[in-house]
Amino acid sequence: MRTRLLAAVVAACLHGTANAAVTLDQSLTGTTDMHARFSVAGQDAFRRAQTFTVGVEGNLIQVDIELRDAGATTFVGLNVLATVNGVPTDTVIATGSFLYEAGGYAVFGVAPLFVSVGDVLAIEPLAATEQGVLNWVGNPSDVYGGGADFYINAAYSPDFQPSGYDMHFRTWVAHVPPRDIPEPGSMALLLAGLGTLGLARSRRAIR
């Protein structure tokens, strides 16, 4: 009986919530009509990526890209790129799948990527073809303090260069509370339960 009770106490102490709160982390929107082209999958002649700084620790699970014309672009997916000194690199650390369009945004689900506050990453949406590629809404000046728009034009440089723009986007992070780490009060309850069980066993041994 005591063993079952202790097992219930342990389970209660170690149980974490399965529901993760999803938070809108970074968001850059506006009313400007400025728009620029996306990267096209499999083509390196031109690429575009927007950097951002993580503000909420957790799992990056969704990225939204603001579109000028709904339904004009067919997407293959999205790359999350590592950065060096705030500049995108070719290192893909996570990928996203195009889910749907809603409210003027293309929505991408990202394979959960754990991110920490202050991480600087880059997002690179990938269009399937050149058709409708000139469709990413942005701002003609660098107004976002957490990052900037970068591009590669292989005719001039193989590396990402700052454009002086910012492209509109939103990032969503799922905060999952730590699991398997009891709260101080729960730990005290757990230790008390272990002590009670040990005392009971000692008494049985003496008898």
Side-chain angles (χ1 to χ4, degrees), residues 69-164:
D69 298 313
T73 308
T74 301
F75 291 100
V76 172
L78 174 140
N79 289 332
V80 180
L81 306 175
T83 67
V84 174
N85 297 324
V87 178
T89 69
D90 288 330
T91 303
V92 178
I93 57 176
T95 58
S97 300
F98 173 70
L99 299 179
Y100 54 85
E101 288 187 18
Y105 285 86
V107 178
F108 297 85
V110 179
L113 171 67
F114 183 78
V115 293
S116 299
V117 175
D119 288 349
V120 179
L121 306 174
I123 47 178
E124 180 189 21
L126 301 173
T129 67
E130 291 286 344
Q131 183 176 357
V133 73
L134 195 66
N135 200 24
W136 193 353
V137 173
N139 195 298
S141 59
D142 186 3
V143 296
Y144 171 60
D149 172 60
F150 290 82
Y151 73 98
I152 289 178
N153 186 333
Y156 300 98
S157 173
D159 302 317
F160 278 103
Q161 306 292 326
S163 69

Side-chain angles (χ1 to χ4, degrees), residues 27-108:
S27 177
L28 180 63
T29 61
T31 57
T32 175
D33 191 44
M34 178 263 178
H35 53 281
R37 61 171 289 151
F38 292 109
S39 301
V40 177
Q43 298 184 20
D44 295 328
F46 186 93
R47 297 173 62 188
R48 163 161 274 112
Q50 170 75 35
T51 60
F52 69 98
T53 302
V54 176
V56 176
E57 182 175 283
N59 289 325
L60 176 66
I61 61 169
Q62 181 177 312
V63 173
D64 305 339
I65 300 299
E66 188 172 359
L67 303 176
R68 181 190 185 200
D69 298 313
T73 308
T74 301
F75 291 100
V76 172
L78 174 140
N79 289 332
V80 180
L81 306 175
T83 67
V84 174
N85 297 324
V87 178
T89 69
D90 288 330
T91 303
V92 178
I93 57 176
T95 58
S97 300
F98 173 70
L99 299 179
Y100 54 85
E101 288 187 18
Y105 285 86
V107 178
F108 297 85

